[in-house]
Amino acid sequence: MIKEIDDDAVVLRTYKSGESDRIAVLWTRKHGKVRVLAKGIRKSTSRLGGNLEPLAYVHVDLVKSRGELYITRHVQHRERYPVMRSSYERINAGYAVVEVIDAIPSDDVADEGIFELLIRVLGSIDDEHFVPDLIPASFFFKLLSHDGSEPVVDNCVNCGSAGPLVAFNAQVGGTLCANCRSGHAISHDALVLIRRILGGDLASVLREQSAPGAGEVMTIAHDAIEQHFGKRLKVTRASAPITLSSSDQ
Ligand SMILES: [Zn+2]
Protein backbone atom coordinates (compact mmCIF):
# COMPACT_ATOMS: atom_id res chain seq x y z
CA MET A 1 0.00 0.00 0.00
CA ILE A 2 1.36 3.37 -1.04
CA LYS A 3 2.05 5.85 1.78
CA GLU A 4 0.95 9.01 0.04
CA ILE A 5 -1.41 9.62 -2.85
CA ASP A 6 -1.58 12.87 -4.77
CA ASP A 7 -4.16 12.27 -7.49
CA ASP A 8 -7.44 13.15 -9.17
CA ALA A 9 -10.45 11.20 -7.97
CA VAL A 10 -14.20 10.84 -8.20
CA VAL A 11 -16.19 10.02 -5.05
CA LEU A 12 -18.24 6.89 -5.75
CA ARG A 13 -20.07 6.71 -2.45
CA THR A 14 -19.73 7.40 1.25
CA TYR A 15 -20.83 5.40 4.26
CA LYS A 16 -20.99 5.85 8.02
CA SER A 17 -18.14 4.78 10.27
CA GLY A 18 -18.54 5.06 14.04
CA GLU A 19 -20.18 8.08 15.64
CA SER A 20 -19.16 10.98 13.44
CA ASP A 21 -16.83 9.67 10.75
CA ARG A 22 -17.50 8.62 7.20
CA ILE A 23 -15.61 6.50 4.74
CA ALA A 24 -15.51 7.85 1.21
CA VAL A 25 -14.86 5.40 -1.61
CA LEU A 26 -12.86 7.08 -4.37
CA TRP A 27 -11.90 6.02 -7.87
CA THR A 28 -8.56 7.68 -8.53
CA ARG A 29 -6.84 8.32 -11.84
CA LYS A 30 -3.60 6.45 -11.09
CA HIS A 31 -4.34 4.33 -8.00
CA GLY A 32 -7.71 2.71 -8.71
CA LYS A 33 -10.15 2.38 -5.82
CA VAL A 34 -9.11 4.04 -2.56
CA ARG A 35 -10.97 4.35 0.75
CA VAL A 36 -10.65 7.55 2.72
CA LEU A 37 -11.52 8.03 6.37
CA ALA A 38 -13.12 11.45 6.69
CA LYS A 39 -12.84 12.36 10.37
CA GLY A 40 -15.81 14.25 11.76
CA ILE A 41 -17.28 14.61 8.30
CA ARG A 42 -20.82 14.21 9.58
CA LYS A 43 -20.62 17.32 11.73
CA SER A 44 -22.36 20.11 9.88
CA THR A 45 -19.37 22.43 10.19
CA SER A 46 -17.03 20.06 8.38
CA ARG A 47 -15.66 21.60 5.21
CA LEU A 48 -14.55 18.22 3.92
CA GLY A 49 -18.14 17.02 4.14
CA GLY A 50 -19.04 18.97 1.03
CA ASN A 51 -15.88 18.07 -0.86
CA LEU A 52 -16.30 14.34 -0.44
CA GLU A 53 -19.90 14.12 -1.59
CA PRO A 54 -20.75 11.31 -4.01
CA LEU A 55 -20.14 12.36 -7.65
CA ALA A 56 -17.59 15.01 -6.66
CA TYR A 57 -14.58 15.27 -8.99
CA VAL A 58 -11.73 16.27 -6.74
CA HIS A 59 -7.99 16.46 -6.42
CA VAL A 60 -6.85 14.74 -3.24
CA ASP A 61 -3.70 14.66 -1.21
CA LEU A 62 -3.91 11.54 0.98
CA VAL A 63 -1.73 9.85 3.56
CA LYS A 64 -1.93 6.28 4.76
CA SER A 65 -3.87 5.73 7.96
CA ARG A 66 -4.87 2.45 9.62
CA GLY A 67 -5.62 -0.70 7.68
CA GLU A 68 -6.49 0.05 4.08
CA LEU A 69 -7.68 3.54 4.87
CA TYR A 70 -6.23 6.88 3.95
CA ILE A 71 -6.88 10.26 5.52
CA THR A 72 -7.09 13.53 3.64
CA ARG A 73 -4.46 16.20 3.86
CA HIS A 74 -6.07 18.31 1.21
CA VAL A 75 -9.17 18.07 -0.98
CA GLN A 76 -9.96 20.44 -3.82
CA HIS A 77 -12.84 20.41 -6.29
CA ARG A 78 -11.94 19.95 -9.95
CA GLU A 79 -15.53 20.06 -11.24
CA ARG A 80 -18.76 20.81 -9.45
CA TYR A 81 -21.15 19.65 -12.19
CA PRO A 82 -23.85 22.28 -11.55
CA VAL A 83 -26.11 21.07 -14.39
CA MET A 84 -26.00 17.49 -13.13
CA ARG A 85 -26.74 18.60 -9.58
CA SER A 86 -29.73 20.67 -10.65
CA SER A 87 -31.72 17.65 -11.88
CA TYR A 88 -32.73 14.41 -10.17
CA GLU A 89 -32.75 12.67 -13.51
CA ARG A 90 -29.14 13.67 -14.12
CA ILE A 91 -28.04 12.91 -10.56
CA ASN A 92 -29.60 9.46 -10.88
CA ALA A 93 -27.73 8.95 -14.14
CA GLY A 94 -24.55 9.87 -12.24
CA TYR A 95 -25.37 7.40 -9.48
CA ALA A 96 -25.95 4.61 -11.98
CA VAL A 97 -22.49 5.30 -13.41
CA VAL A 98 -20.58 5.41 -10.09
CA GLU A 99 -22.39 2.30 -8.83
CA VAL A 100 -21.02 0.38 -11.77
CA ILE A 101 -17.51 1.77 -11.23
CA ASP A 102 -17.83 0.72 -7.58
CA ALA A 103 -18.67 -2.82 -8.74
CA ILE A 104 -15.21 -3.15 -10.34
CA PRO A 105 -13.29 -5.52 -8.04
CA SER A 106 -11.08 -3.59 -5.58
CA ASP A 107 -8.05 -5.72 -6.21
CA ASP A 108 -7.99 -4.77 -9.88
CA VAL A 109 -4.95 -2.74 -10.79
CA ALA A 110 -5.39 0.96 -11.38
CA ASP A 111 -6.81 1.74 -14.80
CA GLU A 112 -6.44 5.26 -16.09
CA GLY A 113 -8.71 4.42 -19.05
CA ILE A 114 -11.61 3.81 -16.69
CA PHE A 115 -10.95 7.10 -14.95
CA GLU A 116 -10.98 8.92 -18.29
CA LEU A 117 -14.25 7.21 -19.25
CA LEU A 118 -15.75 8.17 -15.91
CA ILE A 119 -14.77 11.83 -16.24
CA ARG A 120 -16.08 11.96 -19.80
CA VAL A 121 -19.44 10.44 -18.87
CA LEU A 122 -19.90 12.78 -15.89
CA GLY A 123 -19.13 15.67 -18.24
CA SER A 124 -21.83 14.41 -20.63
CA ILE A 125 -24.38 14.16 -17.81
CA ASP A 126 -23.48 17.74 -16.88
CA ASP A 127 -23.99 18.93 -20.48
CA GLU A 128 -27.41 20.52 -20.90
CA HIS A 129 -27.35 19.73 -24.64
CA PHE A 130 -27.47 16.02 -23.87
CA VAL A 131 -30.59 14.12 -22.79
CA PRO A 132 -29.39 12.05 -19.80
CA ASP A 133 -31.61 8.95 -20.30
CA LEU A 134 -29.20 6.92 -22.41
CA ILE A 135 -25.94 8.14 -20.88
CA PRO A 136 -25.59 5.34 -18.27
CA ALA A 137 -26.49 2.69 -20.87
CA SER A 138 -23.95 4.05 -23.34
CA PHE A 139 -21.35 4.22 -20.57
CA PHE A 140 -21.97 0.55 -19.73
CA PHE A 141 -21.37 -0.40 -23.36
CA LYS A 142 -18.17 1.69 -23.44
CA LEU A 143 -16.96 0.05 -20.24
CA LEU A 144 -17.64 -3.41 -21.68
CA SER A 145 -15.65 -2.45 -24.78
CA HIS A 146 -12.84 -1.12 -22.59
CA ASP A 147 -12.75 -4.49 -20.78
CA GLY A 148 -12.66 -6.36 -24.09
CA SER A 149 -16.26 -7.57 -23.68
CA GLU A 150 -18.05 -5.45 -26.27
CA PRO A 151 -21.33 -7.19 -27.18
CA VAL A 152 -21.70 -8.55 -30.71
CA VAL A 153 -24.49 -6.62 -32.47
CA ASP A 154 -23.71 -7.05 -36.19
CA ASN A 155 -24.52 -10.72 -36.53
CA CYS A 156 -25.76 -13.71 -34.59
CA VAL A 157 -23.31 -14.38 -31.77
CA ASN A 158 -24.15 -18.09 -31.94
CA CYS A 159 -24.15 -19.05 -35.65
CA GLY A 160 -22.72 -15.93 -37.27
CA SER A 161 -25.76 -15.37 -39.49
CA ALA A 162 -26.32 -11.75 -40.58
CA GLY A 163 -29.92 -11.95 -39.43
CA PRO A 164 -32.56 -10.88 -39.11
CA LEU A 165 -31.45 -10.50 -35.51
CA VAL A 166 -34.38 -10.81 -33.12
CA ALA A 167 -32.97 -11.27 -29.63
CA PHE A 168 -30.20 -10.12 -27.29
CA ASN A 169 -28.72 -12.33 -24.62
CA ALA A 170 -26.09 -10.80 -22.32
CA GLN A 171 -25.04 -14.27 -21.16
CA VAL A 172 -23.91 -15.30 -24.63
CA GLY A 173 -22.60 -11.84 -25.43
CA GLY A 174 -24.86 -10.29 -28.04
CA THR A 175 -27.57 -10.53 -30.64
CA LEU A 176 -29.16 -13.74 -31.91
CA CYS A 177 -31.03 -14.80 -35.03
CA ALA A 178 -34.50 -16.42 -35.01
CA ASN A 179 -33.03 -19.94 -35.03
CA CYS A 180 -30.68 -19.34 -32.09
CA ARG A 181 -32.84 -16.90 -30.14
CA SER A 182 -32.63 -16.70 -26.33
CA GLY A 183 -32.68 -13.85 -23.80
CA HIS A 184 -34.72 -10.71 -24.58
CA ALA A 185 -36.50 -9.92 -27.83
CA ILE A 186 -34.89 -6.89 -29.47
CA SER A 187 -36.59 -4.47 -31.86
CA HIS A 188 -34.96 -3.10 -34.98
CA ASP A 189 -34.99 0.40 -33.41
CA ALA A 190 -33.09 -0.79 -30.34
CA LEU A 191 -30.58 -2.65 -32.49
CA VAL A 192 -29.94 0.45 -34.60
CA LEU A 193 -29.52 2.54 -31.46
CA ILE A 194 -26.95 0.15 -29.91
CA ARG A 195 -25.02 0.08 -33.19
CA ARG A 196 -24.97 3.88 -33.25
CA ILE A 197 -23.79 4.06 -29.61
CA LEU A 198 -21.00 1.55 -30.20
CA GLY A 199 -20.17 2.88 -33.65
CA GLY A 200 -19.13 6.45 -32.80
CA ASP A 201 -22.47 8.23 -33.19
CA LEU A 202 -23.03 8.71 -29.46
CA ALA A 203 -23.03 12.52 -29.41
CA SER A 204 -25.95 12.72 -31.83
CA VAL A 205 -27.81 9.91 -30.04
CA LEU A 206 -27.59 11.89 -26.80
CA ARG A 207 -29.12 14.96 -28.44
CA GLU A 208 -32.32 13.08 -29.31
CA GLN A 209 -35.37 13.30 -27.06
CA SER A 210 -36.84 9.83 -26.49
CA ALA A 211 -35.01 7.99 -29.27
CA PRO A 212 -37.01 4.96 -30.50
CA GLY A 213 -35.87 1.80 -28.70
CA ALA A 214 -34.23 3.73 -25.83
CA GLY A 215 -36.07 1.81 -23.08
CA GLU A 216 -34.99 -1.52 -24.53
CA VAL A 217 -31.41 -0.35 -24.90
CA MET A 218 -31.33 0.64 -21.22
CA THR A 219 -32.58 -2.81 -20.15
CA ILE A 220 -30.09 -4.56 -22.43
CA ALA A 221 -27.19 -2.42 -21.20
CA HIS A 222 -28.08 -3.08 -17.55
CA ASP A 223 -28.30 -6.82 -18.18
CA ALA A 224 -24.98 -6.78 -19.98
CA ILE A 225 -23.12 -4.87 -17.26
CA GLU A 226 -24.63 -7.02 -14.48
CA GLN A 227 -23.66 -10.11 -16.39
CA HIS A 228 -20.14 -8.72 -16.77
CA PHE A 229 -19.67 -8.09 -13.06
CA GLY A 230 -21.68 -11.15 -12.04
CA LYS A 231 -23.87 -9.26 -9.63
CA ARG A 232 -27.13 -7.38 -9.35
CA LEU A 233 -26.82 -3.62 -9.22
CA LYS A 234 -29.35 -1.51 -7.36
CA VAL A 235 -29.23 2.01 -8.65
CA THR A 236 -29.18 1.18 -12.33
CA ARG A 237 -32.73 -0.11 -11.99
CA ALA A 238 -34.03 2.40 -9.47
CA SER A 239 -37.16 4.17 -10.60
CA ALA A 240 -37.47 6.60 -7.70
CA PRO A 241 -35.09 9.55 -7.49
CA ILE A 242 -32.28 9.27 -4.99
CA THR A 243 -32.04 12.23 -2.66
CA LEU A 244 -28.70 13.94 -2.33
CA SER A 245 -27.77 15.97 0.70
CA SER A 246 -27.51 19.64 -0.13
CA SER A 247 -24.16 20.23 1.53
CA ASP A 248 -22.14 20.59 -1.65
CA GLN A 249 -20.87 24.02 -0.84
ZN1 LIG B 1 -27.99 -17.75 -35.13
Side-chain angles (χ1 to χ4, degrees):
M1 190 173 163
I2 302 155
K3 271 188 175 164
E4 291 181 33
I5 291 179
D6 186 16
D7 205 351
D8 291 332
V10 170
V11 182
L12 305 180
R13 66 187 163 96
T14 66
Y15 58 92
K16 271 204 288 193
S17 170
E19 278 301 305
S20 65
D21 300 339
R22 283 195 88 82
I23 308 284
V25 182
L26 273 52
W27 188 268
T28 62
R29 185 188 293 275
K30 298 196 183 94
H31 303 86
K33 192 186 282 185
V34 167
R35 285 169 203 273
V36 176
L37 174 67
K39 280 254 167 228
I41 199 168
R42 289 167 65 209
K43 292 169 191 158
S44 57
T45 50
S46 168
R47 190 180 55 83
L48 282 181
N51 283 347
L52 289 181
E53 282 282 301
L55 298 175
Y57 175 17
V58 289
H59 187 89
V60 286
D61 186 0
L62 306 171
V63 281
K64 196 178 154 184
S65 175
R66 59 179 157 81
E68 291 190 347
L69 293 173
Y70 288 85
I71 51 169
T72 55
R73 219 159 31 189
H74 189 66
V75 182
Q76 191 178 9
H77 262 104
R78 300 280 321 252
E79 289 289 343
R80 291 181 181 272
Y81 302 124
V83 175
M84 173 163 69
R85 291 185 189 281
S86 69
S87 143
Y88 280 123
E89 208 188 356
R90 287 179 192 275
I91 288 170
N92 284 331
Y95 269 99
V97 166
V98 291
E99 188 196 6
V100 164
I101 296 283
D102 196 25
I104 297 169
S106 289
D107 51 353
D108 271 21
V109 286
D111 186 333
E112 204 162 342
I114 290 177
F115 186 82
E116 290 299 331
L117 264 181
L118 174 57
I119 291 306
R120 232 178 297 147
V121 74
L122 292 178
S124 295
I125 296 171
D126 191 55
D127 186 333
E128 59 190 3
H129 299 103
F130 291 153
V131 180
D133 305 17
L134 277 172
I135 295 179
S138 51
F139 169 70
F140 302 158
F141 285 130
K142 300 273 178 191
L143 191 59
L144 290 172
S145 301
H146 178 80
D147 284 357
S149 304
E150 182 169 321
V152 171
V153 292
D154 291 324
N155 48 50
C156 174
V157 68
N158 190 45
C159 73
S161 140
L165 303 167
V166 296
F168 184 97
N169 188 337
Q171 247 170 328
V172 295
T175 46
L176 293 149
C177 72
N179 290 331
C180 307
R181 65 178 308 159
S182 64
H184 293 284
I186 188 170
S187 69
H188 182 69
D189 284 341
L191 190 54
V192 168
L193 205 49
I194 294 175
R195 285 173 178 165
R196 287 178 65 201
I197 289 169
L198 289 171
D201 198 22
L202 180 59
S204 69
V205 168
L206 297 183
R207 284 190 176 84
E208 289 167 22
Q209 292 285 347
S210 48
E216 268 179 74
V217 171
M218 288 184 234
T219 304
I220 286 168
H222 294 160
D223 283 353
I225 202 75
E226 286 186 342
Q227 182 68 38
H228 184 64
F229 288 120
K231 68 194 235 183
R232 296 280 293 176
L233 300 165
K234 286 180 307 225
V235 182
T236 53
R237 287 177 194 277
S239 51
I242 291 135
T243 319
L244 261 191
S245 90
S246 58
S247 60
D248 182 49
Q249 297 304 313

